[in-house]
Structures are given as C-alpha cells and as structure tokens.
Amino acid sequence: QVQLVESGGGLVQAGGSLRLSCAASGRTFSSYVMGWFRQAPGKEREFVAAINWSSSRTNYGNSVKGRFTISRDNAKNTVYLQMNSLKPEDTAVYYCAASLGPLNYYNSVYYQYWGQGTQVTVSS
C-alpha cells in the first residue's frame, strides 16, 4: 500500500555531512510513522531515528543523538535524514520504513513497509 525509495547515499570523509531522502508513494504518506534503520555487514539492523505524522515527536538511537536529524515534508511525501559529524562506524546501508498500527519505534518488526536501502560509506 506504500512504496519507499531512498536516495542520497554515497562516500564521505569522517566529520562530513550527508542528507538522505526517502520518497513515498501509494497510501496517504501523512498517516504513517516513518523511521530510519541501518545495517552494516555482519551486524544486526539498528534503529536510527523515527518521526510521527505531524513532526511533533522524534526519536533517535543513542549512537546518533546530537548528530543526526530526522524530518518530513508531507506535502512532498518525503522523509529526510540529515547526518552530520559522520564517523566510520556510521558506514551501513540505510533503510527508510513506514508503520501504521501498534508501534515500538525502535524495533524494525513493527514497520510494515521498507525501501530498498542506500549505501553510506564514511572514510577515515
């Protein structure tokens, strides 16, 4: 009922910045809680950030607090992840996800729809 497509990944030096975008189509975008997750090779999928429909509440994983900012533009059906002060340990495939229903924002199993992911590589 919703399709998600991430973009904006790439290679950046440590300390640099990158902004990811996730474009949504299908069912009403504003009805969904949106999240970002990431997964590095050999690692478990990790919660990064989440935002509610009105942008009145945001949540962040401990490893990115103070460095990453999630936002959304419902008119454009797009959610963003601004990443600053990037570190090599931020290297991963980043996925956006959407949830409509009971939700523990930090747990990926509560999100019904997922994008294909975009690679972020941070060099030292």
Side-chain angles (χ1 to χ4, degrees), residues 45-120:
R45 187 159 41 188
E46 178 186 18
F47 170 73
V48 176
I51 188 167
N52 72 338
W53 68 273
S54 65
S55 299
S56 62
R57 181 161 61 94
T58 58
N59 300 96
Y60 296 94
N62 290 332
S63 63
V64 305
K65 287 180 179 177
R67 299 189 297 119
F68 291 10
T69 303
I70 188 171
S71 62
R72 68 191 295 166
D73 187 337
N74 291 337
K76 296 182 178 180
N77 294 329
T78 302
V79 62
Y80 305 95
L81 184 68
Q82 178 66 46
M83 305 184 294
N84 298 326
S85 302
L86 283 162
K87 305 174 181 179
E89 52 262 44
D90 294 318
T91 296
V93 176
Y94 283 71
Y95 300 90
C96 67
S99 178
L100 181 60
L103 173 67
N104 292 330
Y105 63 87
Y106 56 86
N107 195 329
S108 63
V109 305
Y110 291 91
Y111 292 81
Q112 291 83 48
Y113 304 100
W114 292 83
Q116 84 289 347
T118 186
Q119 175 69 232
V120 172

Side-chain angles (χ1 to χ4, degrees), residues 17-31:
S17 297
L18 207 61
R19 189 172 82 156
L20 306 183
S21 298
C22 176
S25 62
R27 193 170 179 177
T28 304
F29 172 76
S30 60
S31 298

